[in-house]
Amino acid sequence: MSTSTPSRSAFERTLKGACDRLGYSDAMFRLLASAAREIKVDIPILRDNGELAVFTGYRVQHQNARGPYKGGLRYHSSVDIDEVRGLASLMTLKTALVDIPLGGGKGGIECNPRELSPRELERLTRKFVQRIHREIGPETDIMAPDVGTNAQTMGWIYSEYGAIHALQPAVVTGKPLSLGGSPGRDKATGYGVALTIQAYAAHTKTKLEHKTAAIQGFGNVGHHAALCLKEMGVKIVAVSDSRGTIHCKDGIDIDRVMAKKKEFGRFDEMPGYELKEPAAVLELPCDYLIPAALGDAIHAGNAHKVKAAVIVEGANGPCTLDADRILGERKIPIIPDILANAGGVIVSYFEWVQNLQRHGWDLEKVDAELARTLKKAAHAVFEHAEDQKISLREACYDISVMRVKEALDATGF
Ligand code: NAD
């Protein structure tokens, strides 16, 4: 999948707006806009056929005033320093918005993981850790899975870091359960999307029963969001992946569609369901449109075709600045990424806490704490937006930036 993220200029313009509203100096804006440290390394490995291949890896540590740097590790051919920078700064805002004691960082390796064998991926991951091990650690910088990486990747990081230092489970989150992973981490981002919608419905005094949702992307986030929303009474009328959209006005049977997708590797003809183009999902009438796949999926060219009542950003940066403006003019609210998809980093934080305490929580506790943390953040955003008559994105940025600045001021310069 393409992984583009909001352009640097979009992030900086939104950040500048928040700094201006809050009366912060230009120096503070520059400090918040730039990363504390950027690491770039060459990663040479031997391919299975004995040939040498050299990859480029990045780790951007954006801000740690509120706690250790925290953020995913992405394996994708689109990874470059700009993309990693953009994602790292979003992590700083996200952790501040949901008020967990962590900062923001992000990493990536420019590669196509589908073209590498499991053993090659393992060598690549271990070599990357050998290159950056002095800069990461449970109290320094904690990685997690992102696009193209998974629990297995985190297991290799845990093992390699442990071979160089000592075995410390808290050095990564999103690990396999057998290495100290947390129950509920897999579904956390999708569940968080559903919880945010529930909080918005409560705030706007709307009932979720019989509301409809269309979801772009049927991966970790999209699939779990669909299952959780269905449990809350929402009818899922469409889901899409990179090859097509499957649509049924009367509601989709998520488990059946998933089983078919597993069998055929794509959505397949099913009686009563229509198969459409991948982009069709964005133009269907529904109450909640959840882009949970690509960056920049909704843009100047298609924002005027959106027929949803509310957009909920499951992906990072799915709406461009132009789309933001057009949807704003059309009075279609956007629940922003740093709130809507924060469930993953919240449960990553719980995993880190459990590892440090050497004490595991059960799923019930993880789910309850996630719901409490996310709903508290969501209501603060909705109220701030209403009080200040600003968009939900502007409200998110205001709250995050205030918290980061408060911590920076408290540490002194
Ligand atoms: P994933 O790789 O599991 O799934 C991505 C899905 O998007 C796949 O179903 C893929 O087929 C689909 N897709 C790709 N191109 C598409 C297109 N043109 N149209 C429709 N669908 C398309 O990834 P994920 O973990 O679900 O992440 C999705 C997004 O959410 C990314 O932007 C990621 O950064 C963000 N995110 C993920 C997490 C997490 O915990 N997984 C947390 C926060 C944010």
Side-chain angles (χ1 to χ4, degrees):
M1 63 184 271
S2 155
T3 59
S4 57
T5 44
S7 70
R8 192 75 200 145
S9 67
F11 164 74
E12 287 190 4
R13 274 168 64 177
T14 318
L15 179 68
K16 184 79 175 83
C19 288
D20 289 348
R21 274 191 301 282
L22 297 166
Y24 294 171
S25 68
D26 200 45
M28 180 53 72
F29 162 69
R30 274 185 281 123
L31 180 61
L32 294 168
S34 56
R37 185 186 294 158
E38 297 183 351
I39 302 159
K40 173 174 177 269
V41 290
D42 280 344
I43 316 167
I45 61 160
L46 288 181
R47 302 288 303 259
D48 291 344
N49 63 7
E51 273 180 25
L52 175 69
V54 185
F55 297 87
T56 306
Y58 305 93
R59 186 73 190 165
V60 173
Q61 298 175 332
H62 180 253
Q63 253 301 331
N64 67 350
R66 291 174 43 86
Y69 302 109
K70 179 84 188 89
L73 175 67
R74 179 174 284 196
Y75 289 0
H76 195 275
S77 44
S78 75
V79 165
D80 62 18
I81 188 67
D82 271 341
E83 181 179 89
V84 181
R85 263 186 205 135
L87 290 164
S89 27
L90 283 184
M91 285 307 297
T92 298
L93 299 183
K94 206 179 286 187
T95 53
L97 183 66
V98 296
D99 209 6
I100 53 179
L102 294 168
K106 200 82 179 190
I109 300 179
E110 185 193 344
C111 67
N112 181 350
R114 289 193 203 158
E115 286 174 0
L116 296 170
S117 73
R119 292 282 71 85
E120 289 171 337
L121 283 169
E122 178 173 355
R123 286 199 287 279
L124 182 71
T125 305
R126 288 184 184 278
K127 187 57 75 88
F128 183 54
V129 174
Q130 289 163 22
R131 292 283 196 261
I132 66 161
H133 70 92
R134 284 183 198 83
E135 320 299 341
I136 61 171
E139 304 291 347
T140 324
D141 185 353
I142 305 131
M143 294 198 268
D146 191 74
V147 176
T149 58
N150 53 27
Q152 174 61 82
T153 324
M154 300 305 112
W156 294 327
I157 297 175
Y158 160 92
S159 155
E160 192 62 29
Y161 184 85
I164 301 169
H165 299 272
L167 275 182
Q168 297 182 61
V171 70
V172 276
T173 58
K175 296 178 291 294
L177 285 174
S178 55
L179 297 180
S182 178
R185 175 63 186 86
D186 251 19
K187 69 164 187 186
T189 306
Y191 182 37
V193 169
L195 287 168
T196 316
I197 291 176
Q198 201 176 46
Y200 189 72
H203 182 77
T204 51
K205 303 196 173 26
T206 318
K207 279 203 164 31
L208 278 186
E209 286 78 24
H210 311 303
K211 289 276 182 277
T212 55
I215 305 179
Q216 183 195 40
F218 204 49
N220 177 286
V221 181
H223 177 224
H224 285 294
L227 291 175
C228 296
L229 281 169
K230 209 171 166 197
E231 258 180 44
M232 292 174 183
V234 175
K235 193 159 65 175
I236 311 300
V237 290
V239 293
S240 74
D241 68 5
S242 55
R243 300 207 244 171
T245 294
I246 191 150
H247 176 220
C248 177
K249 277 199 296 254
D250 298 327
I252 281 174
D253 181 334
I254 300 299
D255 292 330
R256 248 181 88 206
V257 168
M258 192 52 162
K260 282 266 183 196
K261 190 169 150 67
K262 275 200 178 133
E263 193 180 342
F264 299 108
R266 55 183 300 163
F267 296 137
D268 200 39
E269 298 286 350
M270 288 167 73
Y273 291 16
E274 282 179 87
L275 264 180
K276 300 182 169 173
E277 290 299 301
V281 70
L282 301 173
E283 298 171 21
L284 294 169
C286 59
D287 294 297
Y288 305 106
L289 171 62
I290 305 168
L294 313 171
D296 295 347
I298 306 178
H299 46 74
N302 60 11
H304 58 281
K305 295 184 189 157
V306 166
K307 295 190 191 70
V310 182
I311 292 181
V312 188
E313 294 185 331
N316 284 314
C319 296
T320 65
L321 259 186
D322 284 334
D324 238 34
R325 180 181 44 75
I326 295 167
L327 294 163
E329 285 163 7
R330 295 185 58 207
K331 306 263 180 281
I332 298 178
I334 303 172
I335 304 184
D337 45 11
I338 58 172
L339 177 64
N341 71 29
V345 76
I346 293 172
V347 175
S348 271
Y349 163 59
F350 297 158
E351 181 176 330
W352 181 66
V353 168
Q354 293 171 68
N355 293 159
L356 294 176
Q357 291 178 336
R358 298 283 196 270
H359 177 69
W361 302 359
D362 60 22
L363 180 61
E364 211 180 357
K365 176 165 172 163
V366 171
D367 281 354
E369 284 293 306
L370 169 59
R372 191 186 59 77
T373 309
L374 199 49
K375 286 190 172 182
K376 190 172 163 210
H379 286 295
V381 170
F382 303 148
E383 277 161 25
H384 186 66
E386 249 172 44
D387 286 353
Q388 300 298 312
K389 302 196 177 9
I390 54 178
S391 71
L392 296 175
R393 194 181 313 281
E394 288 169 330
C396 284
Y397 271 60
D398 279 10
I399 295 171
S400 302
V401 165
M402 271 190 282
R403 289 199 178 132
V404 177
K405 178 178 179 290
E406 199 182 336
L408 282 165
D409 286 342
T411 54
F413 293 102

